[in-house]
Amino acid sequence: MKRSKKKQFHEFMSGKGLKSTRQRDVVLDCFLASDRHMSTEELYMKVRAKNPTIGYATVYRTLKLFAESGIAREIHFGDGQTRYEHVAEGEHHDHLVCTRCGSVQEFENETIERLQQEIADQFGFQVETHKLELYGICAKCRQ
Amino acid sequence: MKRSKKKQFHEFMSGKGLKSTRQRDVVLDCFLASDRHMSTEELYMKVRAKNPTIGYATVYRTLKLFAESGIAREIHFGDGQTRYEHVAEGEHHDHLVCTRCGSVQEFENETIERLQQEIADQFGFQVETHKLELYGICAKCRQ
DNA sequence: TTTACTGCAAAATTTTTGCATTAAC
DNA sequence: GTTAATGCAAAAATTTTGCAGTAAA
């Protein structure tokens, strides 16, 4: 699982004639070891803990590469922080975002995915990705 | 339609002991006259066209009031621009966002709404709002 | 006349960029 | 050896804030 994303990223890099570096490996390890929805700042903190000489710019640039390579996707939960989430090929999940404690629960639903496709077809629209987020109060916060 | 949002906003303002000002009315008029998904900058430009002395800070502050009063909602399409869309009470719509030309088509689907509710119930989650966006290529861009 | 609002400029955030140096290939 | 990547600091870009003056209520 982790191995394959690492491989996917390295293949993307060499395919593009880009270089694998110590810094990028540290960022990749931190990203893969992380919770699925980490803000750029949180990731930067983890990276610094492993190697304090790595700069913010490198983290930003590396995350963009992750997105290009397909192992990550940028997401916004509306709190002003850009986050990146893991992408597993062929899989898509949506989110229940608690507006009280900030926790994020993922879910998948085939029927919704199919309905989305139908709607898009009605409009002659070709879907590339989608985003479905439900905001509210999670079970824990409701007691 | 427009009258009622104006009324809704003014009632919210007086209810909170806040003041109606010339500037806020200009921003409100520009917002109501606008396309449904206007970025803060686009709105600021329209406001300036009507009254060049109005500052950016006033537009930002006024948009936040619109959101609080319930006539507008902040949305992010992932292009780094904060946008505000009109909110009609009781109604919710989702979006087909063209990643090529940037156009946004709205849609509504009862079945999806119901499924979302069911999923939330399964998790003991109490939904307040939701966001569903399909990204891809619109009919026009596909020819 | 009291209280909130405005406009400006400064500050705070978040992200990007230029460039000399360093490290992969 | 070439070419790309790094780290820093500066620059952009976006949003917020402090404050003295102004305008609603």
Side-chain angles (χ1 to χ4, degrees), chain B residues 19 21 23-24 53 55 58 61:
Chain B
K19 291 169 181 171
T21 65
Q23 289 91 335
R24 285 175 180 170
T53 67
T58 298
R61 287 186 279 225

Side-chain angles (χ1 to χ4, degrees), chain A residues 16 19 28 58 70 84 106 129 140:
Chain A
K16 284 248 179 183
K19 292 167 182 174
L28 182 56
T58 298
Y84 283 84
E106 297 178 351
T129 65
K140 198 174 275 179

